Amino acid sequence: MTLIDAMTSIDAQRLLGRIRELGGIGRDGEGRLVRLAASDADRLGRDRFVGWLREAGLEIAIDRMGNIFGVWQAPANAGHAPILVGSHIDTVIDAGIYDGCYGVLAGLEVIETLKASALVPSRPLAVAAFTNEEGVRYSPDMMGSLVHAGGVGIDEALAAVGTDGSVLGEELARIGYAGDEEPGFLKPHVYLELHIEQGPVLEREGVPIGAVENLQGISWQRITIDGVANHAGTTPMSMRNDAGHAAARVVTFLHDRAKASNTPTVATVGTMRFEPNAINVIPSRAVFTVDLRDPFEHRLQAEEAALAAFLENLAADGGVAISVERLARFEPVIFDISIVELIEAAAKKRGYASKRMTSGAGHDAQMMARLAPAAMIFVPSAGGISHNPREHTADAELVAGANILLDIVAQLADQEVSGDG
């Protein structure tokens, strides 16, 4: 017996209405969506989400990290590991309304739809909104799910100092979301995450559903180059120890190497500042970040090694001193193939084409895969745009993705429980 009828669908208007309502919460004086983690705006978004969980009749649990869980549990399935769907509702500065929020609200919608079906799943169903996925105010990103998965201790995470000098633990307490549960209290049987692609592939190929089979590894480093400040007009080019020029050489090296490669490796220098930062002074210091990504660990290590060798030679040739600080390092993730196949099968049954994909962005699923079998579903992003107010996915595509998620959760929840390994 299947848990739901093949034609059962989510309430499209309820889902879309909630996405837009949440997208209106946390606007600044300029109309920008800015719900940074543990901020007053984040509190407003959390309050609305918790309100929806309460209206849906779900048990609400909040851990010390501020991660929010809504759980549907019946006496018949109590004690079993839940099927967990999740993402995040914190945003970047001047954000779009779909990133993360779509996955959280679709997860809630799926649970409400299954509750309305009057059938009891074999396992509890839960939806999660993880804290500080974006990492804009506190580092590292994906912090809430990382702590939940045991990758960072809770005390270390709560002591994180934000870009504004605030302390995460103090801010969570201030906004009323320093919960009582210990991180990791809820260990899922399976973790699923529905997300907009944040890239152009699905739209370009005209495919409505992405079955995400792996997720790129990420290497973040901060590089500091120290040279000698001097007069821009009187110092001959041959006698300069120019930190700015050395930094430019690193940018060019990374760009040219990645562009010439026949692999999906990408390299980005996203931030840079000079000292003394004056138009007529040779920079004495350049500080910049490097973001390296690749779906395979051995290739990511090779790119890190190539950068290290280049920096060593640059220091010797350019008369500069170079230091490197590791900011974050996450290995690539291979998602559970059986769930990937379920996504493909569900898409086919509803008449949608699907494509196996690699995620170029980091997601909470990357961390939760340490705890349980995990996978992701992508829907198209118009123009590949994300982290931007022009971020957009068509309503029909949002609904399609939520229905695929519904079908997979229903199928997993209808399986006989033989253990929670």
Side-chain angles (χ1 to χ4, degrees), residues 177-257:
Y177 281 92
D180 298 324
E181 299 287 351
E182 288 297 323
F185 78 97
L186 185 150
K187 183 177 180 181
H189 174 66
V190 166
Y191 178 79
L192 297 165
E193 186 165 353
L194 173 62
H195 210 283
I196 61 169
E197 182 192 351
Q198 299 180 283
V201 175
L202 290 175
E203 182 189 49
R204 181 184 64 205
E205 299 187 11
V207 177
I209 299 295
V212 185
E213 60 181 347
N214 58 5
L215 194 151
Q216 291 194 118
I218 301 173
S219 172
W220 281 3
Q221 301 173 61
R222 179 184 292 119
I223 298 173
T224 301
I225 301 179
D226 286 306
V228 178
N230 215 329
H231 196 290
T234 62
T235 309
M237 299 300 291
S238 61
M239 298 179 65
R240 298 185 178 206
N241 304 96
D242 187 340
H245 177 249
R249 289 180 62 185
V250 177
V251 175
T252 301
F253 166 78
L254 290 169
H255 178 272
D256 290 351
R257 179 179 172 86

Coordinates of all heavy atoms in Angstrom, one line a residue, residues 177-257:
Y177 N 16.3 32.7 20.9 CA 16.4 31.4 20.2 C 17.7 30.7 20.6 O 18.2 29.9 19.8 CB 16.4 31.7 18.7 CG 15.0 31.9 18.2 CD1 14.4 33.1 18.1 CD2 14.2 30.8 17.9 CE1 13.1 33.3 17.7 CE2 12.8 30.9 17.5 CZ 12.3 32.2 17.4 OH 11.0 32.4 17.0
A178 N 18.0 30.8 21.9 CA 19.0 29.9 22.5 C 18.3 28.8 23.1 O 17.8 28.9 24.3 CB 19.9 30.6 23.5
G179 N 18.1 27.7 22.4 CA 17.2 26.6 22.9 C 17.8 25.7 23.9 O 19.0 25.9 24.3
D180 N 17.1 24.7 24.4 CA 17.5 23.9 25.4 C 18.1 22.5 24.9 O 18.9 21.9 25.7 CB 16.3 23.5 26.4 CG 15.8 24.8 27.0 OD1 16.6 25.7 27.4 OD2 14.6 24.9 27.2
E181 N 17.7 22.1 23.8 CA 18.2 20.8 23.3 C 19.7 20.9 22.9 O 20.2 21.9 22.4 CB 17.4 20.4 22.0 CG 15.9 20.3 22.2 CD 15.5 19.0 23.0 OE1 16.4 18.2 23.3 OE2 14.3 18.9 23.4
E182 N 20.3 19.8 23.1 CA 21.7 19.7 22.7 C 21.8 19.4 21.2 O 21.0 18.6 20.7 CB 22.4 18.5 23.5 CG 22.7 18.8 24.9 CD 23.7 20.0 25.1 OE1 24.6 20.2 24.3 OE2 23.4 20.8 26.1
P183 N 22.7 20.1 20.5 CA 22.8 19.8 19.0 C 23.0 18.3 18.8 O 23.8 17.7 19.5 CB 24.0 20.6 18.6 CG 24.0 21.8 19.6 CD 23.6 21.1 20.9
G184 N 22.4 17.8 17.8 CA 22.5 16.4 17.4 C 21.5 15.5 18.1 O 21.5 14.3 17.9
F185 N 20.6 16.2 18.9 CA 19.6 15.4 19.6 C 18.7 14.6 18.7 O 18.1 13.5 19.0 CB 18.7 16.3 20.6 CG 17.7 17.1 19.9 CD1 16.4 16.6 19.8 CD2 18.0 18.3 19.2 CE1 15.4 17.4 19.2 CE2 17.0 19.0 18.6 CZ 15.7 18.5 18.5
L186 N 18.5 15.2 17.5 CA 17.6 14.5 16.5 C 18.5 14.0 15.4 O 19.1 14.7 14.6 CB 16.6 15.5 16.0 CG 15.5 15.0 15.0 CD1 14.3 15.9 15.1 CD2 16.0 15.1 13.6
K187 N 18.6 12.7 15.4 CA 19.4 12.0 14.4 C 18.5 11.4 13.3 O 17.7 10.5 13.6 CB 20.3 10.9 14.9 CG 21.2 10.3 13.9 CD 22.1 9.2 14.5 CE 23.0 8.6 13.4 NZ 23.9 7.6 13.9
P188 N 18.6 12.0 12.1 CA 17.6 11.5 11.1 C 17.9 10.1 10.5 O 19.1 9.7 10.5 CB 17.8 12.6 10.0 CG 19.2 13.1 10.1 CD 19.5 13.0 11.6
H189 N 16.9 9.5 10.0 CA 17.1 8.3 9.2 C 17.5 8.6 7.8 O 18.4 7.9 7.2 CB 15.7 7.5 9.2 CG 15.7 6.3 8.3 ND1 16.5 5.2 8.6 CD2 15.1 6.1 7.1 CE1 16.3 4.3 7.6 NE2 15.4 4.8 6.7
V190 N 17.0 9.7 7.3 CA 17.3 10.3 6.0 C 17.2 11.8 6.0 O 16.4 12.3 6.8 CB 16.4 9.7 4.9 CG1 16.5 10.5 3.6 CG2 16.6 8.2 4.6
Y191 N 18.1 12.5 5.3 CA 17.9 13.9 5.2 C 17.8 14.3 3.7 O 18.5 13.9 2.8 CB 19.2 14.6 5.7 CG 19.1 16.1 5.6 CD1 18.4 16.9 6.5 CD2 19.8 16.8 4.6 CE1 18.3 18.3 6.4 CE2 19.7 18.2 4.4 CZ 18.9 18.9 5.3 OH 18.9 20.3 5.2
L192 N 16.8 15.2 3.5 CA 16.5 15.7 2.1 C 16.5 17.2 2.1 O 16.0 17.8 3.1 CB 15.1 15.2 1.6 CG 15.0 13.6 1.5 CD1 13.5 13.3 1.4 CD2 15.7 13.2 0.3
E193 N 17.0 17.8 1.1 CA 16.9 19.2 0.9 C 16.5 19.7 -0.5 O 17.1 19.2 -1.4 CB 18.3 19.8 1.3 CG 18.3 21.4 1.3 CD 19.6 21.9 2.0 OE1 20.4 21.2 2.6 OE2 19.7 23.2 2.0
L194 N 15.5 20.5 -0.5 CA 15.0 21.0 -1.8 C 15.5 22.4 -1.9 O 15.4 23.2 -1.0 CB 13.5 21.0 -1.8 CG 12.7 21.6 -3.0 CD1 13.1 21.0 -4.3 CD2 11.2 21.6 -2.7
H195 N 16.0 22.8 -3.1 CA 16.7 24.1 -3.2 C 16.6 24.6 -4.6 O 16.6 23.8 -5.6 CB 18.2 24.0 -2.8 CG 18.8 25.2 -2.2 ND1 19.1 26.3 -2.9 CD2 19.0 25.5 -0.9 CE1 19.6 27.2 -2.1 NE2 19.6 26.8 -0.9
I196 N 16.6 25.9 -4.8 CA 16.8 26.4 -6.1 C 18.3 26.2 -6.5 O 19.2 26.1 -5.7 CB 16.5 27.9 -6.2 CG1 17.4 28.7 -5.2 CG2 15.1 28.2 -5.9 CD1 17.4 30.2 -5.4
E197 N 18.5 26.0 -7.8 CA 19.9 25.6 -8.3 C 20.9 26.6 -7.9 O 22.1 26.3 -7.6 CB 19.9 25.4 -9.8 CG 21.2 24.9 -10.3 CD 21.3 24.9 -11.8 OE1 20.3 25.1 -12.5 OE2 22.4 24.7 -12.3
Q198 N 20.6 27.9 -8.0 CA 21.6 29.0 -7.9 C 22.7 28.9 -9.0 O 23.8 29.4 -8.8 CB 22.3 28.9 -6.5 CG 21.3 29.1 -5.3 CD 22.0 29.0 -4.0 OE1 22.4 28.0 -3.5 NE2 22.2 30.2 -3.4
G199 N 22.3 28.4 -10.1 CA 23.2 28.3 -11.2 C 22.3 28.2 -12.5 O 21.1 28.1 -12.4
P200 N 22.9 28.2 -13.7 CA 22.2 28.3 -14.9 C 21.9 27.0 -15.7 O 21.2 27.0 -16.7 CB 23.1 29.2 -15.8 CG 24.5 28.7 -15.4 CD 24.4 28.4 -13.9
V201 N 22.3 25.9 -15.1 CA 22.3 24.6 -15.9 C 20.9 24.2 -16.2 O 20.6 23.9 -17.4 CB 23.1 23.5 -15.2 CG1 23.0 22.2 -16.0 CG2 24.6 23.9 -15.1
L202 N 20.0 24.0 -15.2 CA 18.7 23.5 -15.5 C 17.9 24.4 -16.4 O 17.3 23.9 -17.4 CB 17.9 23.3 -14.2 CG 18.4 22.2 -13.2 CD1 17.7 22.3 -11.9 CD2 18.3 20.9 -13.9
E203 N 18.0 25.7 -16.3 CA 17.3 26.6 -17.2 C 17.8 26.5 -18.6 O 17.0 26.4 -19.5 CB 17.4 28.0 -16.7 CG 16.6 29.0 -17.5 CD 16.9 30.5 -17.2 OE1 18.0 30.8 -17.1 OE2 15.9 31.2 -17.1
R204 N 19.1 26.5 -18.7 CA 19.7 26.4 -20.0 C 19.4 25.2 -20.8 O 19.2 25.2 -22.0 CB 21.3 26.5 -19.9 CG 22.0 26.5 -21.2 CD 23.5 26.5 -20.9 NE 23.9 25.3 -20.2 CZ 25.0 25.2 -19.4 NH1 25.8 26.3 -19.2 NH2 25.3 24.1 -18.9
E205 N 19.3 24.1 -20.1 CA 19.0 22.8 -20.7 C 17.5 22.5 -20.7 O 17.1 21.4 -21.3 CB 19.7 21.7 -20.0 CG 21.3 21.8 -20.1 CD 22.0 20.7 -19.6 OE1 21.4 19.6 -19.4 OE2 23.3 20.8 -19.4
G206 N 16.7 23.3 -20.1 CA 15.2 23.1 -20.2 C 14.8 21.9 -19.3 O 13.8 21.3 -19.7
V207 N 15.5 21.6 -18.2 CA 15.2 20.5 -17.4 C 14.6 21.0 -16.1 O 15.3 21.9 -15.4 CB 16.4 19.6 -17.1 CG1 16.1 18.5 -16.2 CG2 17.0 19.1 -18.4
P208 N 13.4 20.6 -15.6 CA 12.8 21.2 -14.5 C 13.3 20.6 -13.1 O 13.1 21.3 -12.1 CB 11.3 20.8 -14.6 CG 11.3 19.6 -15.5 CD 12.5 19.7 -16.4
I209 N 13.9 19.4 -13.1 CA 14.3 18.8 -11.8 C 15.7 18.4 -11.9 O 16.2 17.6 -12.8 CB 13.4 17.6 -11.5 CG1 12.0 18.0 -11.4 CG2 13.9 16.9 -10.2 CD1 11.6 18.9 -10.2
G210 N 16.5 18.8 -10.9 CA 17.9 18.3 -10.7 C 18.0 17.3 -9.6 O 17.5 17.6 -8.5
A211 N 18.5 16.1 -9.9 CA 18.8 15.1 -8.9 C 20.3 15.3 -8.5 O 21.2 14.9 -9.3 CB 18.5 13.7 -9.4
V212 N 20.5 15.9 -7.4 CA 21.9 16.2 -7.0 C 22.6 15.0 -6.5 O 22.3 14.5 -5.4 CB 21.9 17.4 -6.0 CG1 23.4 17.9 -5.7 CG2 21.1 18.6 -6.5
E213 N 23.7 14.6 -7.2 CA 24.4 13.4 -6.8 C 25.7 13.7 -6.0 O 26.1 12.8 -5.3 CB 24.7 12.5 -8.0 CG 25.6 13.2 -9.0 CD 25.9 12.3 -10.2 OE1 25.6 11.1 -10.1 OE2 26.4 12.8 -11.2
N214 N 26.2 14.9 -6.1 CA 27.4 15.2 -5.3 C 27.5 16.7 -5.1 O 26.7 17.5 -5.7 CB 28.7 14.6 -5.9 CG 28.9 15.1 -7.3 OD1 28.2 16.0 -7.8 ND2 30.0 14.6 -7.9
L215 N 28.4 17.1 -4.2 CA 28.5 18.5 -3.8 C 30.0 18.8 -3.7 O 30.8 18.1 -3.2 CB 27.8 18.7 -2.5 CG 27.5 20.2 -2.1 CD1 26.3 20.2 -1.2 CD2 28.7 20.7 -1.3
Q216 N 30.4 19.9 -4.3 CA 31.8 20.3 -4.4 C 32.4 20.5 -3.1 O 31.8 21.0 -2.2 CB 32.0 21.6 -5.3 CG 31.6 21.4 -6.7 CD 32.2 22.6 -7.5 OE1 33.0 22.4 -8.4 NE2 31.7 23.8 -7.3
G217 N 33.7 20.1 -3.0 CA 34.5 20.4 -1.8 C 34.9 21.9 -1.9 O 34.9 22.5 -3.0
I218 N 35.1 22.5 -0.7 CA 35.3 24.0 -0.7 C 36.6 24.2 0.2 O 36.7 23.7 1.3 CB 34.1 24.7 0.0 CG1 32.9 24.5 -0.8 CG2 34.4 26.2 0.1 CD1 31.6 25.0 -0.2
S219 N 37.5 25.0 -0.4 CA 38.7 25.5 0.4 C 38.7 27.0 0.4 O 38.8 27.6 -0.7 CB 39.9 24.9 -0.3 OG 41.1 25.5 0.2
W220 N 38.6 27.6 1.6 CA 38.7 29.0 1.8 C 40.0 29.4 2.5 O 40.3 28.8 3.5 CB 37.5 29.5 2.6 CG 36.2 29.6 1.9 CD1 35.9 29.3 0.6 CD2 35.0 30.1 2.4 NE1 34.6 29.6 0.2 CE2 34.0 30.1 1.4 CE3 34.6 30.6 3.6 CZ2 32.7 30.5 1.5 CZ3 33.3 31.0 3.8 CH2 32.3 31.0 2.8
Q221 N 40.7 30.3 1.9 CA 41.9 30.8 2.5 C 42.0 32.3 2.5 O 41.4 32.9 1.6 CB 43.1 30.2 1.7 CG 43.2 28.7 1.7 CD 44.3 28.2 0.8 OE1 45.5 28.5 1.0 NE2 43.9 27.5 -0.3
R222 N 42.7 32.9 3.5 CA 42.9 34.3 3.4 C 44.5 34.5 3.3 O 45.2 33.9 4.0 CB 42.5 35.0 4.7 CG 42.8 36.5 4.7 CD 42.4 37.2 6.0 NE 41.0 37.2 6.2 CZ 40.3 36.6 7.3 NH1 41.0 35.9 8.2 NH2 39.0 36.7 7.4
I223 N 44.9 35.2 2.3 CA 46.3 35.4 2.0 C 46.7 36.8 2.3 O 46.0 37.8 1.9 CB 46.5 35.1 0.5 CG1 46.2 33.6 0.2 CG2 48.0 35.4 0.1 CD1 46.3 33.2 -1.2
T224 N 47.8 37.0 3.0 CA 48.3 38.3 3.3 C 49.7 38.4 2.6 O 50.6 37.6 2.9 CB 48.4 38.5 4.8 OG1 47.1 38.4 5.4 CG2 49.0 39.9 5.1
I225 N 49.9 39.5 1.8 CA 51.1 39.7 1.2 C 51.7 41.0 1.7 O 51.0 42.1 1.6 CB 51.0 39.8 -0.4 CG1 50.4 38.5 -0.9 CG2 52.3 40.2 -1.0 CD1 50.2 38.5 -2.4
D226 N 52.9 41.0 2.3 CA 53.5 42.2 2.8 C 54.7 42.6 1.9 O 55.6 41.8 1.7 CB 54.0 41.9 4.2 CG 52.9 41.9 5.2 OD1 52.1 42.9 5.3 OD2 52.8 40.9 6.0
G227 N 54.6 43.9 1.5 CA 55.7 44.5 0.7 C 56.2 45.7 1.4 O 56.3 45.8 2.6
V228 N 56.6 46.7 0.6 CA 57.1 48.0 1.2 C 56.4 49.1 0.6 O 56.3 49.3 -0.7 CB 58.6 48.1 0.9 CG1 59.1 49.4 1.5 CG2 59.4 46.9 1.6
A229 N 55.8 50.0 1.4 CA 55.1 51.2 0.9 C 56.2 52.2 0.4 O 57.2 52.4 1.1 CB 54.2 51.8 2.0
N230 N 55.9 52.9 -0.7 CA 56.8 53.9 -1.2 C 56.1 54.8 -2.2 O 55.0 54.5 -2.6 CB 58.0 53.2 -1.9 CG 59.3 54.0 -1.7 OD1 59.3 55.2 -1.5 ND2 60.5 53.3 -1.6
H231 N 56.8 55.8 -2.6 CA 56.2 56.9 -3.4 C 55.9 56.3 -4.8 O 56.8 55.7 -5.4 CB 57.1 58.1 -3.5 CG 56.5 59.3 -4.1 ND1 56.1 59.4 -5.4 CD2 56.2 60.5 -3.4 CE1 55.6 60.6 -5.5 NE2 55.6 61.3 -4.4
A232 N 54.7 56.5 -5.3 CA 54.3 56.0 -6.6 C 55.0 56.6 -7.8 O 55.1 56.0 -8.9 CB 52.8 56.1 -6.8
G233 N 55.5 57.8 -7.6 CA 56.1 58.5 -8.7 C 57.6 58.4 -8.7 O 58.2 58.5 -9.8
T234 N 58.2 58.2 -7.6 CA 59.7 58.3 -7.5 C 60.4 57.0 -7.4 O 61.6 56.9 -7.5 CB 60.1 59.2 -6.3 OG1 59.7 58.5 -5.1 CG2 59.6 60.6 -6.4
T235 N 59.6 55.9 -7.2 CA 60.2 54.6 -7.1 C 60.2 53.8 -8.4 O 59.2 53.5 -8.9 CB 59.5 53.7 -6.0 OG1 59.3 54.5 -4.8 CG2 60.2 52.5 -5.7
P236 N 61.4 53.5 -9.0 CA 61.4 52.8 -10.2 C 60.7 51.4 -10.1 O 60.7 50.8 -9.1 CB 62.9 52.6 -10.5 CG 63.6 53.7 -9.7 CD 62.7 53.9 -8.5
M237 N 60.2 51.0 -11.2 CA 59.5 49.7 -11.2 C 60.4 48.6 -10.8 O 59.9 47.6 -10.1 CB 58.9 49.4 -12.6 CG 57.9 50.5 -13.1 SD 56.4 50.7 -12.0 CE 55.6 49.1 -12.3
S238 N 61.6 48.6 -11.2 CA 62.6 47.5 -10.8 C 62.9 47.5 -9.4 O 63.5 46.5 -8.9 CB 63.8 47.7 -11.7 OG 64.5 48.9 -11.4
M239 N 62.6 48.5 -8.6 CA 63.0 48.6 -7.2 C 61.8 48.5 -6.3 O 61.9 48.9 -5.1 CB 63.8 49.9 -7.0 CG 65.1 50.0 -7.8 SD 66.0 51.6 -7.5 CE 66.4 51.5 -5.8
R240 N 60.7 48.1 -6.8 CA 59.5 48.0 -5.9 C 59.3 46.7 -5.3 O 59.6 45.6 -5.9 CB 58.3 48.3 -6.8 CG 58.3 49.7 -7.4 CD 57.0 50.1 -8.1 NE 57.1 51.4 -8.6 CZ 56.0 52.2 -8.9 NH1 54.8 51.7 -8.6 NH2 56.1 53.4 -9.3
N241 N 58.8 46.7 -4.1 CA 58.3 45.5 -3.4 C 56.8 45.7 -3.2 O 56.3 46.1 -2.2 CB 58.9 45.3 -2.0 CG 60.4 45.3 -2.1 OD1 61.1 46.3 -1.9 ND2 61.0 44.1 -2.4
D242 N 56.1 45.5 -4.3 CA 54.7 45.9 -4.5 C 53.7 44.8 -4.1 O 53.5 43.8 -4.9 CB 54.5 46.4 -5.9 CG 53.1 47.0 -6.2 OD1 52.2 46.8 -5.4 OD2 53.0 47.7 -7.2
A243 N 53.1 44.9 -3.0 CA 52.2 43.9 -2.5 C 50.9 43.8 -3.4 O 50.4 42.8 -3.6 CB 51.7 44.1 -1.1
G244 N 50.5 45.0 -4.0 CA 49.4 45.0 -4.9 C 49.6 44.2 -6.1 O 48.8 43.5 -6.6
H245 N 50.8 44.4 -6.7 CA 51.1 43.7 -7.9 C 51.2 42.2 -7.7 O 50.8 41.4 -8.5 CB 52.4 44.2 -8.5 CG 52.9 43.5 -9.8 ND1 54.0 42.7 -9.8 CD2 52.3 43.4 -11.0 CE1 54.1 42.1 -11.0 NE2 53.1 42.6 -11.8
A246 N 51.8 41.9 -6.6 CA 51.9 40.4 -6.2 C 50.5 39.8 -6.1 O 50.3 38.7 -6.5 CB 52.7 40.3 -4.9
A247 N 49.6 40.6 -5.5 CA 48.2 40.0 -5.3 C 47.6 39.9 -6.7 O 46.9 38.9 -6.9 CB 47.4 41.0 -4.5
A248 N 47.8 40.8 -7.6 CA 47.3 40.7 -8.9 C 47.8 39.5 -9.7 O 47.0 38.8 -10.4 CB 47.6 42.0 -9.7
R249 N 49.0 39.2 -9.4 CA 49.6 38.0 -10.1 C 48.9 36.7 -9.5 O 48.7 35.7 -10.3 CB 51.1 37.9 -9.8 CG 51.9 39.0 -10.5 CD 53.4 38.9 -10.2 NE 54.0 37.6 -10.7 CZ 55.2 37.2 -10.4 NH1 56.0 38.0 -9.8 NH2 55.7 36.0 -10.8
V250 N 48.5 36.7 -8.3 CA 47.8 35.5 -7.7 C 46.5 35.4 -8.4 O 46.0 34.3 -8.8 CB 47.7 35.6 -6.2 CG1 46.9 34.4 -5.7 CG2 49.1 35.7 -5.5
V251 N 45.8 36.5 -8.5 CA 44.4 36.5 -9.1 C 44.5 36.0 -10.5 O 43.7 35.1 -11.0 CB 43.8 37.9 -9.1 CG1 42.5 37.9 -9.9 CG2 43.6 38.4 -7.7
T252 N 45.5 36.4 -11.3 CA 45.7 36.0 -12.7 C 46.0 34.5 -12.7 O 45.5 33.8 -13.6 CB 46.7 36.9 -13.4 OG1 46.3 38.2 -13.3 CG2 46.9 36.4 -14.8
F253 N 46.9 34.1 -11.9 CA 47.3 32.7 -11.8 C 46.1 31.8 -11.6 O 45.9 30.8 -12.3 CB 48.3 32.4 -10.7 CG 48.6 31.0 -10.4 CD1 49.3 30.2 -11.3 CD2 48.0 30.4 -9.3 CE1 49.5 28.8 -11.0 CE2 48.2 29.1 -9.0 CZ 48.9 28.3 -9.8
L254 N 45.3 32.1 -10.6 CA 44.1 31.3 -10.3 C 43.1 31.3 -11.4 O 42.6 30.2 -11.8 CB 43.4 31.8 -9.0 CG 44.2 31.6 -7.7 CD1 43.6 32.4 -6.6 CD2 44.3 30.1 -7.4
H255 N 42.8 32.4 -12.0 CA 41.9 32.5 -13.1 C 42.3 31.7 -14.3 O 41.6 30.9 -14.9 CB 41.7 34.0 -13.5 CG 40.7 34.2 -14.6 ND1 41.2 34.2 -15.9 CD2 39.4 34.4 -14.7 CE1 40.1 34.4 -16.7 NE2 39.0 34.5 -16.0
D256 N 43.6 31.9 -14.7 CA 44.1 31.3 -15.9 C 44.2 29.8 -15.7 O 43.9 29.0 -16.7 CB 45.5 31.9 -16.3 CG 45.4 33.3 -16.8 OD1 44.3 33.8 -17.0 OD2 46.5 33.9 -16.9
R257 N 44.6 29.3 -14.6 CA 44.7 27.9 -14.3 C 43.3 27.2 -14.4 O 43.2 26.2 -15.0 CB 45.4 27.6 -13.0 CG 45.5 26.2 -12.6 CD 46.2 26.0 -11.3 NE 46.2 24.6 -10.9 CZ 47.1 23.7 -11.2 NH1 48.1 24.0 -12.0 NH2 46.9 22.4 -10.8

